[in-house]
Amino acid sequence: MKNRSLVAINDLSRDEIFRVLDLAEEFEKNPIQRIMEGKVVATLFFEPSTRTRLSFESAVNKLGGRVIGFSEASTSSVSKGETLKDTILTVANYSDLIVMRHPVEGSARYASEVSPVPIVNAGDGANQHPTQTLLDLYSIRKTQGKLDNLKIVMVGDLKYGRTVHSLLMAMSQFNASFTFISPAELRMPLEYKMYLDELGLNYEEHTDLAENIKDADIVYMTRVQRERFSDPMEYEKVKNAYILKNYMLEGTKPNMRVLHPLPRVNEINTDVDESPMAYYFTQALNGVYTRMAIMALILGLKK
Ligand code: CP
């Protein structure tokens, strides 16, 4: 991974994924290692973020590096009309690695093609969110003891949710079987289902939540992505399509864990938070260790 950008989860082989997860485990055991002293990471967030930006910044700080950047485009010269290319070429002069979130699908790939320093995609529109996927894989392996042959139930906005797109591609390397639960308007896009068809992997599509989580190993809840809707009335129609409640967890497998990339709006009732099956806040913590590992490998500070 040294000196390479991370744009899509498929940029990584199975072995590289395992290396990230193993190193994240090492950082979880020993998080204070000042291996990034002298390194500068730029976080360019053209869209809002709490977890991704702050966990990257926490990871850099724990490893002894420094962070520069902006958390909204309006405070950068993009607001004066500067192009993405010019912004990237300029920021690359000031940093060793750029972490970027941008609303346009494909922007991270484009940035990686023009940038002299590695780009880490922190989410490009509805396309991909590979570092979220790596922390999801870390969380899945930690809770299930393995990644192979698991049943993953994805719930909610499967059309616009970039985290489920990246996770589907990653878990397809581990012989997962999938259940997609969504309103008709927010079904998993055809291209991802065709991807599974080509690999010969099983998936089912349903609209009922409670009936279809009983044999799940992972229930992956998602927020309806209001910011991707062009018609606010369409959002209103589907925004409360699924709300996971504690009573629905009765009769599920003991190893089952509820994951959510967060932020949550109301798709997981707060009565689930106390359940031993709720894992989403620990999942967010795992983002720090995983992002430490990603940066250390890309910067060549660990092998
Ligand atoms: N999971 C995630 O990307 O959260 P943020 O939008 O808060 O970064």
Side-chain angles (χ1 to χ4, degrees):
M1 288 172 68
K2 189 178 173 186
N3 291 331
R4 274 166 46 198
S5 291
L6 176 55
V7 173
I9 194 66
N10 280 16
D11 292 346
L12 300 182
S13 66
R14 211 179 129 102
D15 283 351
E16 286 170 332
I17 289 174
F18 280 124
R19 181 61 195 126
V20 172
L21 305 191
D22 291 346
L23 187 54
E25 211 167 79
E26 191 183 312
F27 281 125
E28 181 172 2
K29 287 183 193 132
N30 178 16
I32 311 297
Q33 302 185 34
R34 301 190 67 79
I35 56 173
M36 280 185 75
E37 260 172 19
K39 299 291 182 192
V40 176
V41 172
T43 54
L44 308 188
F45 278 68
F46 295 87
E47 276 195 331
S49 168
T50 297
R51 278 144 291 273
T52 309
R53 186 171 67 83
L54 295 181
S55 63
F56 262 112
E57 294 188 4
S58 174
V60 174
N61 283 312
K62 284 178 193 290
L63 295 179
R66 303 297 289 262
V67 179
I68 59 170
F70 52 80
S71 56
E72 45 183 314
S74 63
T75 61
S76 77
S77 285
V78 171
S79 64
K80 301 174 200 162
E82 185 166 61
T83 63
L84 180 60
K85 180 178 180 182
D86 287 1
T87 302
I88 294 293
L89 289 176
T90 303
V91 175
N93 286 328
Y94 311 145
S95 58
D96 300 288
L97 176 77
I98 296 174
V99 177
M100 184 180 86
R101 171 170 290 184
H102 198 282
V104 176
E105 292 180 30
S107 53
R109 181 69 67 197
Y110 172 74
S112 74
E113 284 165 5
V114 299
S115 177
V117 302
I119 299 285
V120 174
N121 181 7
D124 61 328
N127 188 31
Q128 286 257 333
H129 194 350
T131 69
Q132 175 71 44
T133 300
L134 288 163
L135 79 88
D136 291 343
L137 294 178
Y138 185 77
S139 301
I140 292 170
R141 189 173 77 164
K142 204 164 169 199
T143 59
Q144 306 299 315
K146 62 175 188 173
L147 288 173
D148 286 303
N149 305 317
L150 295 172
K151 174 140 192 171
I152 314 289
V153 177
M154 296 178 167
V155 184
D157 185 348
L158 307 186
K159 179 179 180 185
Y160 296 119
R162 57 194 170 203
T163 61
V164 284
H165 300 160
S166 293
L167 185 60
L168 176 151
M169 297 189 94
M171 287 307 293
S172 67
Q173 297 201 45
F174 299 98
N175 197 39
S177 61
F178 299 91
T179 298
F180 303 135
I181 301 177
S182 71
E185 299 89 332
L186 299 176
R187 287 169 75 173
M188 182 62 77
L190 189 59
E191 68 198 84
Y192 293 101
K193 290 186 278 189
M194 286 172 65
Y195 182 79
L196 296 180
D197 285 337
E198 277 167 25
L199 293 172
L201 293 174
N202 291 326
Y203 64 84
E204 296 172 10
E205 290 186 287
H206 297 283
T207 51
D208 184 81
L209 174 59
E211 287 300 306
N212 290 294
I213 60 174
K214 301 298 180 206
D215 59 349
D217 297 304
I218 294 292
V219 173
Y220 196 94
M221 300 296 297
T222 64
R223 171 180 71 92
V224 177
Q225 308 269 305
R226 184 181 56 192
E227 63 275 30
R228 311 273 175 237
F229 284 73
S230 49
D231 180 352
M233 292 307 291
E234 291 301 311
Y235 171 72
E236 290 298 318
K237 272 201 290 193
V238 292
K239 70 177 186 185
N240 292 321
Y242 300 105
I243 301 177
L244 183 68
K245 297 185 176 161
N246 198 37
Y247 78 84
M248 296 178 184
L249 303 178
E250 277 170 33
T252 56
K253 290 168 71 174
N255 64 298
M256 190 277 272
R257 292 294 176 273
V258 179
L259 269 59
H260 190 313
L262 304 179
R264 141 175 79 178
V265 182
N266 60 357
E267 56 280 352
I268 301 179
N269 201 315
T270 52
D271 70 0
V272 177
D273 294 358
E274 303 310 316
S275 164
M277 292 178 173
Y279 195 73
Y280 26 94
F281 290 114
T282 308
Q283 181 187 358
L285 169 64
N286 291 340
V288 177
Y289 311 126
T290 310
R291 288 170 173 135
M292 282 174 159
I294 292 164
M295 290 187 290
L297 290 167
I298 291 177
L299 291 170
L301 304 170
K302 294 271 185 179
K303 287 196 175 135

